[in-house]
Amino acid sequence: MSTPSGAPAAAAASPVPEAVHRRRWAILGVLMFSLLIVVLDNSILNVAVKTIAAPAPEGIGATQSELEWAINSYTLVFAGLLFTAGLLGDRVGRKKVLLFGIAVFGTGSALAAMSGSPAELIGYRALMGFGAAFVMPATLAVLMNVFERDEQPKAIGIWAGSVGLGIAIGPITGGLLLEHFWWGSIFLVNVPVAVVALIAMVLLVPDSRDPRPGKLDPVGVVLSIIGLVLLVYGIIRGGELADFTEVSVLAPLLGGVAVLAGFVWHEKRSSHPAIDVTYFKKPAFAAAVAAIALVFFALMGVTFFSAFYLQSVRGYSALQSGLLIVPLAAAQMIFAPRARLVVDRFGARVVCTAGMVLVAGGLAAFALFTAGTPVWVLCVDYFVLGTGMAHIMPPVTVAIMQALPREKAGSGSAINNTFRQVGGALGVAVLGSVLSATYRGDIESHLGALPAGARDAAGESIEATLTVAGKLGPAGGPLVESAHDAFLHAMHLTALGSAAVALIGVAVVALFLPGRAPAEKPTRADRPSNREPAART
């Protein structure tokens, strides 16, 4: 294609059509809205588990195991399909995949709201995870195809900030809904949001795909699904049992690792691989992926125990606990969109290292918290954690997404989200096991006066101990105090473990992420307004 006289050659070669470029910020708003309901759903459910466990009509009488699987069925399907969903978006069109995912997620939400039994809720949550797997990678892939390279860091920062928004308003929304409506409202609220998102997508979001997708790699796709599902199931099962040496844990874990190793072997030898695994030979790419997994490993473990700390030890309601998380989300929303400016000045290595240090410090601070720690100290610590996250996620996401060609944006997004999800699941399972084992060991000596059956039940968790203590009336006071002390000790140990994992992340990003990049010439600011639009893919 010829260029107008005097126009830079890069202008005509722009991959973003002018009509799409003009509405790029509106498109980003739609993508954030779509991502928000996926993030919002998990954070809402975390504050509703007590209500769902109550007998009908208040809840559906779900047991502890059933509640765990209501959460884990979503995670299992979501993590297992993320990679495949990203590949499908590159092949059939990211807008089509995004519309499909939102529609399935909205349908699953409506069905989950009407669940009449724990088994139905678990099944419909799995359906929601299926839909969400097609939403999350597609939002980032579309973003990469409507923004040019120079604006992508800013757009990714805003995209990452929307995750912080979901973390904040999820527990608050859940608390408000549970105070005024029945437990199913936490799922039903997703339906109108999904409908609005679908309409906005149809009107605003352009479609894009890989113009040269090549042959299908069905063997690679199947291996990735089986490997990820086995791996995540083993992680979840280990967390449930608080024991990673059981056969029911080791078998799926080792099986998942073996299948994923077979996937890598197949991809390296395939003439049409689902993903080019040689990208992992690039230190910056591999370090960015590792950083995402490590930071979510550390952070999700703390998210897991902080809910019990705030509600079971401090006595805050679900709504009050949600409000205390606002500083973490606020920091992400404030700093994530501006992280690119700090990266431009100091480089990704310095910024991400500093962010990891803040996260490690914020996690370690939990080892000093007691039942009487002032609320303002909690808020400051959450703000520090959010600030650290805001200076990690945008730079490493940019590093991953810009390492792959634009037409492979779905695959890049899937890699980003898969490692984040697996890292988070591993964090909850491993650190949750540390928390559970330490608590049980400490509380056991205080349960000797209870009957054998009640003793076993009371030792399962702090919630179980407090339930038994409540039935004892005034005589249960010493047991409540012992439960609080045992939990705080377990929390302190787990927090130090989380901080240690974050320090490993510090070493990874400090050694392998690139330093300050040379300034790039602007790609659009100097372009003439009458340039020829590029053809849409």
Side-chain angles (χ1 to χ4, degrees):
M1 182 183 293
S2 62
T3 59
S5 177
S14 171
V16 182
E18 185 64 35
V20 173
H21 175 73
R22 284 196 298 266
R23 65 175 190 269
R24 65 197 185 283
W25 297 111
I27 293 170
L28 178 59
V30 176
L31 297 177
M32 290 170 59
F33 194 64
S34 305
L35 179 65
L36 186 61
I37 62 171
V38 175
V39 177
L40 189 70
D41 178 72
N42 271 336
S43 56
I44 284 183
L45 181 59
N46 287 336
V47 303
V49 289
K50 286 186 178 180
T51 306
I52 295 173
E58 183 182 356
I60 52 176
T63 65
Q64 181 69 26
S65 176
E66 288 168 337
L67 285 173
E68 289 174 356
W69 273 107
I71 297 172
N72 293 336
S73 62
Y74 179 99
T75 301
L76 188 63
V77 176
F78 181 55
L81 289 178
L82 271 171
F83 181 71
T84 300
L87 293 176
L88 286 175
D90 286 343
R91 178 170 290 274
V92 305
R94 290 133 192 163
K95 179 177 180 177
K96 296 183 183 68
V97 164
L98 192 52
L99 290 169
F100 171 77
I102 288 290
V104 172
F105 186 87
T107 301
S109 298
L111 293 171
M114 305 302 171
S115 297
S117 68
E120 288 184 7
L121 179 60
I122 291 168
Y124 295 140
R125 284 281 297 165
L127 181 63
M128 292 170 67
F130 182 85
F134 288 85
V135 174
M136 186 166 276
T139 58
L140 189 52
V142 171
L143 181 155
M144 297 300 291
N145 278 271
V146 299
F147 286 90
E148 295 198 34
R149 189 178 182 87
D150 58 330
E151 283 190 322
Q152 286 170 0
K154 180 180 180 181
I156 288 174
I158 296 172
W159 178 87
S162 68
V163 176
L165 180 63
I167 292 172
I169 67 175
I172 297 171
T173 304
L176 289 171
L177 288 171
L178 291 174
E179 283 188 2
H180 297 92
F181 304 101
W182 98 112
W183 67 268
S185 62
I186 66 168
F187 298 114
L188 199 62
V189 72
N190 293 330
V191 177
V193 179
V195 171
V196 173
L198 285 171
I199 295 171
M201 279 181 223
V202 171
L203 296 176
L204 290 172
V205 177
D207 203 1
S208 62
R209 63 170 64 89
D210 185 349
R212 293 178 296 277
K215 295 180 181 179
L216 283 170
D217 180 20
V219 175
V221 169
V222 171
L223 287 175
S224 71
I225 293 174
I226 294 174
L228 285 170
V229 168
L230 284 174
L231 179 64
V232 174
Y233 175 80
I235 292 169
I236 291 171
R237 183 64 177 160
E240 283 182 336
L241 299 177
D243 184 357
F244 283 82
T245 62
E246 290 280 342
V247 174
S248 62
V249 176
L250 285 176
L253 271 179
L254 296 177
V257 171
V259 172
L260 290 175
F263 167 76
V264 173
W265 181 88
H266 170 76
E267 295 300 289
K268 290 175 69 174
R269 286 156 180 78
S270 175
S271 60
H272 48 283
I275 181 65
D276 187 351
V277 294
T278 60
Y279 282 112
F280 286 91
K281 293 182 179 179
K282 300 178 180 180
F285 181 86
V289 169
I292 284 178
L294 287 169
V295 74
F296 271 86
F297 180 103
L299 195 67
M300 291 304 291
V302 168
T303 302
F304 176 77
F305 69 62
S306 65
F308 291 101
Y309 168 66
L310 293 174
Q311 295 186 44
S312 301
V313 176
R314 302 297 296 258
Y316 295 126
S317 68
L319 179 58
Q320 290 171 328
S321 299
L323 289 171
L324 285 172
I325 303 296
V326 168
L328 185 149
Q332 290 194 55
M333 289 186 287
I334 292 168
F335 295 115
R338 296 168 174 80
R340 76 192 191 286
L341 302 175
V342 189
V343 171
D344 289 343
R345 182 169 182 178
F346 299 105
R349 179 189 301 157
V350 171
V351 173
C352 288
T353 300
M356 278 288 191
V357 169
L358 285 177
V359 169
L363 297 175
F366 274 89
L368 304 175
F369 290 173
T370 67
T373 299
V375 170
W376 70 265
V377 175
L378 300 180
C379 292
V380 169
D381 192 49
Y382 280 125
F383 191 83
V384 169
L385 282 170
T387 302
M389 287 288 293
H391 289 90
I392 298 169
M393 297 312 299
V396 296
T397 302
V398 170
I400 293 171
M401 297 304 295
Q402 291 193 343
L404 275 67
R406 183 187 291 264
E407 59 270 17
K408 301 295 183 184
S411 300
S413 179
I415 291 171
N416 173 70
N417 288 295
T418 298
F419 274 83
R420 181 172 71 175
Q421 193 67 25
V422 171
L426 193 59
V428 170
V430 174
L431 297 174
S433 297
V434 172
L435 182 77
S436 178
T438 306
Y439 177 79
R440 289 176 183 176
D442 286 355
I443 198 65
E444 191 173 313
S445 61
H446 300 279
L447 304 176
L450 298 176
R455 192 183 311 140
D456 293 338
E460 288 183 359
S461 65
I462 184 173
E463 279 300 312
T465 308
L466 295 178
T467 298
V468 172
K471 294 177 181 179
L472 297 176
L479 184 57
V480 170
E481 186 176 345
S482 298
H484 288 171
D485 291 341
F487 182 85
L488 287 171
H489 176 243
M491 184 184 79
H492 294 163
L493 187 64
T494 308
L496 292 175
S498 302
V501 172
L503 288 176
I504 296 173
V506 171
V508 169
V509 298
L511 290 174
F512 299 109
L513 277 187
R516 184 178 178 184
E520 294 184 3
K521 294 181 179 179
T523 60
R524 230 184 237 271
D526 298 329
R527 294 180 186 172
S529 58
N530 62 340
R531 68 169 179 82
E532 295 180 40
R536 187 178 303 183
T537 57

